[in-house]
C-alpha cells in the first residue's frame, strides 16, 4: 500500500492578483450553483454575477439567516435524516454535477424548514481534478465525524465514498435512496464498536492511494486485483470507482484501454 500524501486545500490563497482571484472564485461559485440547481440539489439560487460580486437567494425568514448545520441543534430523527440528505447530496454532486465539494462540513451546510442546503461551493472541483477523489474522501471523513458525534450511526468513510462513486447503483434518486437505505440497515445491524481489524482497515483507507485516472493504474496489477475482488478481498480500494467491483466486463474494457494507452505511448517514443 502506498501512503497518500494529504491533498492540498482547494482554498489555496491568491498568489498574484487578489482581485482577479476573487472574481474567479465568484464565477466558479456561480457556475457550480447553477449545476447543482439543475441537478435538484438544495442550494442557494444564484441571481446575479457582476465582476467579483455574486448575488444569491437568501435562505431564511424575516432577515434572519438559516442556521448552519453546526448550529441547527438537530437531534433524534431529524439529525439522522440530515445525514441521509447529506449523503444523497454528496452522491448527486458527484454523479450528476461531476463535482466534489472539497470542503464539506457542518459549517458549509444550512438547515431550514427540514431541508439541508449545500453552500460555499467556490472551491468545488470537477472530477478530472487530480485531487478530486482525495477531496471526496476527506469530505466523507468530515461528514461522518460530525454526525457520529451527534449520535448518528454512520457508514464507514469507505462506504460513504463508495456510495458516492458507484455507478452501478443506478441513475435515479430512488435507486440511490434504496441503496442507501440498505446500507443503513447493515450499519444498524453491526456492533457499535469497530473490531481491531476494522479499525486498521479504516485507517488504511484514509491513507492509501486511490488512482484518479487510468494513467495511475499499472496494467500488471489489474488482473491480480480483479481476482482479489472476485475472492472478496476488500483491499482493492479503486474497485468501485473504476467499476471493477461490480462488472467483469468493465475490467476487460479497462484492460483494453490501458493496453491501447501503453501502445500509444510506445509509438510516441518510437516516433521521437
Amino acid at each position: 500500500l502506498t501512503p497518500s500524501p494529504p491533498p492540498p486545500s482547494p482554498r489555496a490563497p491568491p498568489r498574484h492578483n487578489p482581485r482577479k482571484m476573487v472574481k474567479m472564485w465568484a464565477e466558479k461559485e456561480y457556475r457550480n450553483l447553477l449545476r447543482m440547481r439543475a441537478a435538484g440539489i438544495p442550494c442557494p439560487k444564484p441571481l446575479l454575477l457582476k465582476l467579483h460580486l455574486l448575488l444569491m437567494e437568501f435562505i431564511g425568514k424575516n432577515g434572519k439567516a438559516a442556521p448552519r448545520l453546526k448550529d441547527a441543534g438537530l437531534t433524534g430523527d431529524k439529525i439522522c435524516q440530515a445525514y441521509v440528505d447529506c449523503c444523497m447530496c454528496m452522491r448527486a454532486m458527484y454523479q450528476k454535477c461531476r463535482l466534489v465539494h472539497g470542503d464539506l462540513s457542518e459549517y458549509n451546510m444550512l438547515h431550514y424548514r427540514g431541508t439541508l442546503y449545500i453552500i460555499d461551493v467556490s472551491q468545488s472541483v470537477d472530477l478530472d481534478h487530480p485531487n478530486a477523489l482525495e477531496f471526496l474522501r476527506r469530505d466523507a471523513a468530515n461528514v461522518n465525524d460530525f454526525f457520529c458525534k451527534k449520535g448518528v450511526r454512520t457508514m464507514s468513510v469507505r462506504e460513504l465514498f463508495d456510495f458516492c462513486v458507484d455507478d452501478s447503483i443506478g441513475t435515479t434518486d430512488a435507486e440511490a435512496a434504496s441503496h442507501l437505505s440498505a446500507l443503513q440497515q447493515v450499519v444498524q445491524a453491526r456492533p457499535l464498536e469497530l473490531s481491531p481489524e476494522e479499525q486498521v482497515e479504516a485507517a488504511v483507507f484514509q491513507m492509501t492511494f486511490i488512482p484518479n485516472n487510468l494513467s495511475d493504474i499499472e496494467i500488471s496489477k489489474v488482473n491480480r486485483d480483479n481476482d482479489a475482488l472476485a475472492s472478496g478481498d476488500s483491499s482493492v480500494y479503486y474497485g468501485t470507482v473504476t467499476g471493477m467491483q461490480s462488472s467483469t466486463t468493465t475490467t476487460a474494457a479497462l484492460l483494453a484501454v490501458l493496453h491501447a494507452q501503453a501502445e500509444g505511448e510506445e509509438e510516441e517514443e518510437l516516433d521521437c
Side-chain angles (χ1 to χ4, degrees), residues 4-19:
S4 175
S9 171
R11 297 175 173 278
R15 295 182 178 179
H16 304 294
N17 190 329
R19 290 186 179 181

Side-chain angles (χ1 to χ4, degrees), residues 97-238:
C97 305
R98 316 306 289 171
L99 288 172
V100 171
H101 189 284
D103 192 29
L104 192 61
S105 72
E106 63 272 24
Y107 295 92
N108 293 325
M109 291 181 270
L110 305 179
H111 195 270
Y112 182 63
R113 292 184 174 178
T115 299
L116 189 76
Y117 292 84
I118 306 297
I119 63 170
D120 200 6
V121 292
S122 61
Q123 80 294 323
S124 299
V125 298
D126 292 304
L127 299 193
D128 59 1
H129 189 282
N131 291 309
L133 295 180
E134 296 283 356
F135 293 149
L136 178 61
R137 177 166 54 186
R138 186 172 63 190
D139 284 351
N142 289 340
V143 165
N144 272 3
D145 183 57
F146 169 75
F147 282 100
C148 188
K149 290 178 180 177
K150 293 294 182 179
V152 178
R153 295 288 298 274
T154 64
M155 298 177 281
S156 68
V157 172
R158 183 177 181 181
E159 287 170 336
L160 178 51
F161 177 93
D162 284 350
F163 172 70
C164 293
V165 304
D166 193 350
D167 291 334
S168 69
I169 291 174
T171 58
T172 67
D173 290 342
E175 289 170 317
S178 177
H179 186 86
L180 181 57
S181 177
L183 280 173
Q184 288 182 297
Q185 291 178 22
V186 172
V187 171
Q188 293 293 333
R190 64 191 180 202
L192 280 170
E193 297 294 330
L194 294 178
S195 67
E197 293 78 10
E198 290 171 331
Q199 292 178 25
V200 170
E201 183 177 346
V204 169
F205 177 70
Q206 286 289 89
M207 296 186 298
T208 197
F209 171 73
I210 299 177
N212 200 63
N213 54 61
L214 295 182
S215 62
D216 294 331
I217 304 175
E218 295 180 24
I219 297 177
S220 60
K221 293 183 178 180
V222 174
N223 282 325
R224 182 200 66 189
D225 291 342
N226 186 54
D227 291 340
L229 287 169
S231 66
D233 188 344
S234 61
S235 64
V236 184
Y237 297 104
Y238 66 90

